[in-house]
Tab-separated table of all heavy atoms in Angstrom:
chain	number	residue	atom	x	y	z
A	167	ARG	N	104.968	101.267	112.180
A	167	ARG	CA	105.655	100.614	113.296
A	167	ARG	C	106.364	101.645	114.171
A	167	ARG	O	106.324	101.585	115.403
A	167	ARG	CB	106.665	99.599	112.747
A	167	ARG	CG	107.338	98.754	113.825
A	167	ARG	CD	108.474	97.956	113.259
A	167	ARG	NE	108.054	97.117	112.153
A	167	ARG	CZ	108.676	97.053	110.991
A	167	ARG	NH1	109.752	97.782	110.770
A	167	ARG	NH2	108.246	96.253	110.046
A	168	PHE	N	107.009	102.611	113.511
A	168	PHE	CA	107.714	103.661	114.242
A	168	PHE	C	106.739	104.505	115.066
A	168	PHE	O	106.998	104.801	116.238
A	168	PHE	CB	108.466	104.550	113.246
A	168	PHE	CG	109.098	105.766	113.867
A	168	PHE	CD1	110.304	105.671	114.530
A	168	PHE	CD2	108.478	107.003	113.780
A	168	PHE	CE1	110.895	106.794	115.110
A	168	PHE	CE2	109.055	108.124	114.351
A	168	PHE	CZ	110.263	108.012	115.015
A	169	ALA	N	105.630	104.889	114.451
A	169	ALA	CA	104.645	105.721	115.145
A	169	ALA	C	104.094	105.009	116.372
A	169	ALA	O	103.952	105.607	117.453
A	169	ALA	CB	103.512	106.089	114.192
A	170	GLU	N	103.815	103.737	116.223
A	170	GLU	CA	103.274	102.964	117.353
A	170	GLU	C	104.298	102.862	118.473
A	170	GLU	O	103.962	103.012	119.656
A	170	GLU	CB	102.867	101.567	116.877
A	170	GLU	CG	102.296	100.704	117.987
A	170	GLU	CD	101.926	99.313	117.502
A	170	GLU	OE1	102.169	99.001	116.315
A	170	GLU	OE2	101.398	98.534	118.307
A	171	ALA	N	105.544	102.633	118.103
A	171	ALA	CA	106.590	102.452	119.116
A	171	ALA	C	106.936	103.750	119.825
A	171	ALA	O	107.270	103.744	121.020
A	171	ALA	CB	107.843	101.869	118.469
A	172	GLU	N	106.838	104.884	119.116
A	172	GLU	CA	107.290	106.154	119.686
A	172	GLU	C	106.144	107.042	120.174
A	172	GLU	O	106.388	108.167	120.627
A	172	GLU	CB	108.119	106.920	118.642
A	172	GLU	CG	109.372	106.185	118.180
A	172	GLU	CD	110.394	106.042	119.287
A	172	GLU	OE1	110.328	106.817	120.265
A	172	GLU	OE2	111.270	105.159	119.185
A	173	GLY	N	104.921	106.561	120.072
A	173	GLY	CA	103.802	107.336	120.595
A	173	GLY	C	103.331	108.461	119.692
A	173	GLY	O	102.858	109.494	120.178
A	174	PHE	N	103.456	108.280	118.375
A	174	PHE	CA	102.977	109.271	117.420
A	174	PHE	C	101.677	108.797	116.771
A	174	PHE	O	101.401	107.592	116.702
A	174	PHE	CB	104.009	109.511	116.312
A	174	PHE	CG	105.237	110.241	116.763
A	174	PHE	CD1	106.449	109.572	116.917
A	174	PHE	CD2	105.194	111.600	117.026
A	174	PHE	CE1	107.586	110.244	117.332
A	174	PHE	CE2	106.324	112.278	117.436
A	174	PHE	CZ	107.517	111.603	117.595
A	175	GLN	N	100.921	109.746	116.263
A	175	GLN	CA	99.723	109.438	115.478
A	175	GLN	C	99.885	110.056	114.099
A	175	GLN	O	100.055	111.271	113.963
A	175	GLN	CB	98.460	110.000	116.140
A	175	GLN	CG	97.191	109.714	115.326
A	175	GLN	CD	95.961	110.349	115.936
A	175	GLN	OE1	96.066	111.095	116.906
A	175	GLN	NE2	94.807	110.057	115.372
A	176	ILE	N	99.861	109.222	113.068
A	176	ILE	CA	99.961	109.721	111.695
A	176	ILE	C	98.611	110.298	111.308
A	176	ILE	O	97.640	109.566	111.124
A	176	ILE	CB	100.391	108.599	110.731
A	176	ILE	CG1	101.789	108.093	111.102
A	176	ILE	CG2	100.378	109.100	109.288
A	176	ILE	CD1	102.266	106.914	110.274
A	177	VAL	N	98.556	111.625	111.194
A	177	VAL	CA	97.283	112.304	110.927
A	177	VAL	C	97.068	112.568	109.447
A	177	VAL	O	95.954	112.904	109.022
A	177	VAL	CB	97.197	113.628	111.711
A	177	VAL	CG1	97.185	113.352	113.211
A	177	VAL	CG2	98.363	114.557	111.355
A	178	ALA	N	98.116	112.432	108.643
A	178	ALA	CA	97.992	112.610	107.197
A	178	ALA	C	99.169	111.920	106.528
A	178	ALA	O	100.245	111.779	107.121
A	178	ALA	CB	97.958	114.087	106.816
A	179	GLU	N	98.947	111.488	105.295
A	179	GLU	CA	99.992	110.805	104.543
A	179	GLU	C	100.074	111.412	103.149
A	179	GLU	O	99.060	111.605	102.493
A	179	GLU	CB	99.681	109.309	104.438
A	179	GLU	CG	100.681	108.531	103.602
A	179	GLU	CD	100.277	107.072	103.429
A	179	GLU	OE1	100.438	106.303	104.387
A	179	GLU	OE2	99.773	106.717	102.339
A	180	HIS	N	101.284	111.709	102.714
A	180	HIS	CA	101.509	112.261	101.378
A	180	HIS	C	102.457	111.320	100.627
A	180	HIS	O	103.547	111.025	101.111
A	180	HIS	CB	102.090	113.667	101.461
A	180	HIS	CG	101.118	114.674	101.990
A	180	HIS	ND1	100.287	115.411	101.169
A	180	HIS	CD2	100.806	115.034	103.256
A	180	HIS	CE1	99.520	116.194	101.906
A	180	HIS	NE2	99.820	115.989	103.175
A	181	VAL	N	102.027	110.878	99.468
A	181	VAL	CA	102.797	109.920	98.678
A	181	VAL	C	103.233	110.581	97.374
A	181	VAL	O	102.425	111.200	96.676
A	181	VAL	CB	101.963	108.664	98.371
A	181	VAL	CG1	102.775	107.689	97.518
A	181	VAL	CG2	101.514	107.997	99.657
A	182	GLU	N	104.496	110.436	97.049
A	182	GLU	CA	105.075	111.083	95.874
A	182	GLU	C	105.794	110.054	95.009
A	182	GLU	O	106.468	109.158	95.519
A	182	GLU	CB	106.086	112.136	96.318
A	182	GLU	CG	106.403	113.177	95.290
A	182	GLU	CD	105.825	114.520	95.688
A	182	GLU	OE1	106.230	115.056	96.737
A	182	GLU	OE2	104.968	115.033	94.957
A	183	VAL	N	105.653	110.173	93.700
A	183	VAL	CA	106.437	109.390	92.751
A	183	VAL	C	107.245	110.393	91.952
A	183	VAL	O	106.763	110.979	90.991
A	183	VAL	CB	105.551	108.546	91.822
A	183	VAL	CG1	106.411	107.732	90.862
A	183	VAL	CG2	104.658	107.624	92.634
A	184	GLU	N	108.466	110.627	92.381
A	184	GLU	CA	109.286	111.664	91.757
A	184	GLU	C	110.730	111.482	92.161
A	184	GLU	O	111.039	110.957	93.218
A	184	GLU	CB	108.788	113.051	92.184
A	184	GLU	CG	109.540	114.217	91.570
A	184	GLU	CD	109.590	114.168	90.051
A	184	GLU	OE1	108.627	114.586	89.401
A	184	GLU	OE2	110.607	113.672	89.541
A	185	THR	N	111.627	111.932	91.296
A	185	THR	CA	113.044	111.863	91.591
A	185	THR	C	113.396	112.861	92.685
A	185	THR	O	112.694	113.846	92.890
A	185	THR	CB	113.888	112.168	90.334
A	185	THR	OG1	115.277	112.112	90.683
A	185	THR	CG2	113.575	113.552	89.799
A	186	GLY	N	114.492	112.605	93.363
A	186	GLY	CA	114.957	113.542	94.383
A	186	GLY	C	116.075	114.414	93.876
A	186	GLY	O	116.663	115.167	94.632
A	187	LYS	N	116.383	114.347	92.577
A	187	LYS	CA	117.537	115.057	92.042
A	187	LYS	C	117.145	116.432	91.531
A	187	LYS	O	116.005	116.678	91.145
A	187	LYS	CB	118.170	114.246	90.896
A	187	LYS	CG	118.718	112.895	91.317
A	187	LYS	CD	119.294	112.172	90.131
A	187	LYS	CE	119.853	110.801	90.522
A	187	LYS	NZ	120.383	110.062	89.372
A	188	GLY	N	118.134	117.313	91.470
A	188	GLY	CA	117.928	118.619	90.870
A	188	GLY	C	117.685	119.713	91.887
A	188	GLY	O	117.108	119.480	92.945
A	189	SER	N	118.124	120.926	91.537
A	189	SER	CA	117.961	122.049	92.447
A	189	SER	C	116.509	122.458	92.616
A	189	SER	O	116.146	123.106	93.595
A	189	SER	CB	118.772	123.253	91.934
A	189	SER	OG	118.336	123.616	90.627
A	190	ASP	N	115.669	122.085	91.626
A	190	ASP	CA	114.248	122.427	91.705
A	190	ASP	C	113.408	121.240	92.166
A	190	ASP	O	112.215	121.174	91.868
A	190	ASP	CB	113.742	122.918	90.348
A	190	ASP	CG	113.817	121.824	89.274
A	190	ASP	OD1	114.601	120.868	89.455
A	190	ASP	OD2	113.093	121.944	88.274
């Protein structure tokens, strides 16, 4: 929805299943 409204084209998508915690 954002891409359509703002004139962007999503050329690739990366999906992650992982925590956002930790320095690494």
Side-chain angles (χ1 to χ4, degrees):
R167 186 190 304 131
F168 173 80
E170 180 181 3
E172 299 293 339
F174 289 106
Q175 179 184 6
I176 297 176
V177 295
E179 177 185 284
H180 291 269
V181 179
E182 200 110 62
V183 181
E184 182 54 82
T185 179
K187 297 179 180 178
S189 59
D190 64 339

